[in-house]
């Protein structure tokens, strides 16, 4: 597989959605009684956090690319 850039926002989104799926699976088996209104805010908050991390990552990488292109232009 070809190497690709690490994307922490996608990692966080995947982990949050996987955790929500596991919580629903645990609820479906009857091992725990998890109300839906506990999972929905956790998922929304996790996806919001993933979006913020993705934006910060994009801004940092864009700044680095601009600095590299400026130094090579001189």
């Amino acid at each position: 597989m070809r190497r690709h850039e690490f994307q922490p926002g996608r990692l966080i989104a995947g982990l949050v959605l996987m955790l929500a799926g596991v919580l629903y699976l645990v609820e479906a088996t009857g091992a725990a009684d998890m109300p839906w209104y506990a999972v929905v805010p956790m998922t929304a908050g996790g996806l919001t956090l993933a979006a913020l991390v993705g934006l910060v990552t994009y801004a940092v990488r864009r700044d680095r690319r601009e600095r590299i292109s400026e130094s090579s232009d001189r």
Side-chain angles (χ1 to χ4, degrees):
M1 182 175 162
R2 215 176 103 219
R3 293 194 73 160
H4 59 278
E5 288 182 338
F6 175 63
Q7 297 178 344
R10 289 187 180 188
L11 174 67
I12 292 172
L15 290 175
V16 166
L17 291 175
M18 192 166 42
L19 178 63
V22 167
L23 289 176
Y24 274 119
L25 182 65
V26 167
E27 155 114 47
T29 61
D33 188 25
M34 184 71 65
W36 68 269
Y37 53 84
V39 177
V40 171
M42 180 207 59
T43 303
L47 291 176
T48 303
L49 176 65
L52 290 173
V53 169
L55 287 172
V56 168
T57 304
Y58 174 74
V60 167
R61 287 183 178 159
R62 185 183 65 199
D63 185 50
R64 282 185 185 166
R65 279 188 225 123
E66 288 175 359
R67 278 197 233 155
I68 290 171
S69 68
E70 283 178 1
S71 65
S72 65
D73 289 344
R74 290 182 182 181

